[in-house]
């Protein structure tokens, strides 16, 4: 029954398509393909841009975490009585990062 309904409704379309010449039929087919292809291309482009944005945001978050950690180390260095004109040595920085990493699980990778 569904097949008969489909054939019934496709008969006028088939008859109208047979009235088109080759250029009109090609234009109709290309128009249908364009209507299908353009939204798909837009989705692919938006997906690519979202991926690029995700990469940039992840990079900025990592930079922000590093800057925050560095500021915390500088604060601890000053609280420990470190001279503000000279920075901490590499060993003391490593120790400060380890101290801060005990309090912050997120910063534990910086103490290595």
């Amino acid at each position: 029954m569904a097949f008969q309904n489909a054939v019934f409704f496709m008969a006028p379309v088939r008859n109208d398509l047979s009235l088109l010449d080759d250029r009109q039929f090609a234009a109709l087919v290309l128009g249908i393909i364009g209507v299908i292809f353009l939204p798909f291309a837009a989705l692919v482009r938006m997906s690519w841009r979202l991926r690029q944005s995700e990469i940039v945001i992840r990079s900025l978050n990592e930079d922000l975490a590093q800057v925050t950690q560095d500021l915390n180390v500088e604060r601890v260095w000053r609280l420990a009585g470190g001279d503000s004109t000279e920075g901490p040595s590499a060993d003391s920085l490593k120790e400060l990062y380890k101290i801060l990493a005990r309090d912050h699980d997120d910063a534990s990778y910086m103490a290595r």
Side-chain angles (χ1 to χ4, degrees), residues 13 17 21 25 31 38 44 46 59 62 69 73 80 84 99 101:
V13 173
L17 287 178
D21 66 2
F25 182 75
L38 285 177
V44 168
M46 289 184 103
S59 173
E62 290 171 1
Q69 186 68 20
V73 166
S84 61
I99 291 168

Side-chain angles (χ1 to χ4, degrees), residues 3-110:
F3 181 72
Q4 290 173 347
N5 288 338
V7 170
F8 175 76
F9 286 112
M10 288 302 292
V13 173
R14 187 183 70 229
N15 291 337
D16 290 340
L17 287 178
S18 66
L19 297 176
L20 298 177
D21 66 2
D22 290 341
R23 286 184 305 178
Q24 290 172 332
F25 182 75
L28 178 67
V29 169
L30 290 175
I32 291 170
I33 290 172
V35 166
I36 294 170
F37 178 74
L38 285 177
F40 179 74
L43 284 174
V44 168
R45 184 171 182 250
M46 289 184 103
S47 172
W48 180 78
R49 291 181 74 182
L50 283 173
R51 239 181 257 126
Q52 294 296 325
S53 298
E54 177 189 4
I55 291 169
V56 169
I57 289 171
R58 188 179 302 127
S59 173
L60 289 173
N61 281 339
E62 290 171 1
D63 291 345
L64 180 62
Q66 181 63 44
V67 167
T68 303
Q69 186 68 20
D70 290 344
L71 287 173
N72 287 338
V73 166
E74 186 176 336
R75 271 192 222 124
V76 171
W77 174 254
R78 287 186 179 161
L79 287 174
D83 188 7
S84 61
T85 58
E86 68 178 45
S89 67
D91 290 335
S92 60
L93 273 178
K94 191 173 181 179
E95 289 302 316
L96 289 173
Y97 277 118
K98 284 183 181 179
I99 291 168
L100 288 173
R102 282 187 222 138
D103 295 332
H104 303 287
D105 294 333
D106 297 337
S108 64
Y109 68 93
M110 293 182 195

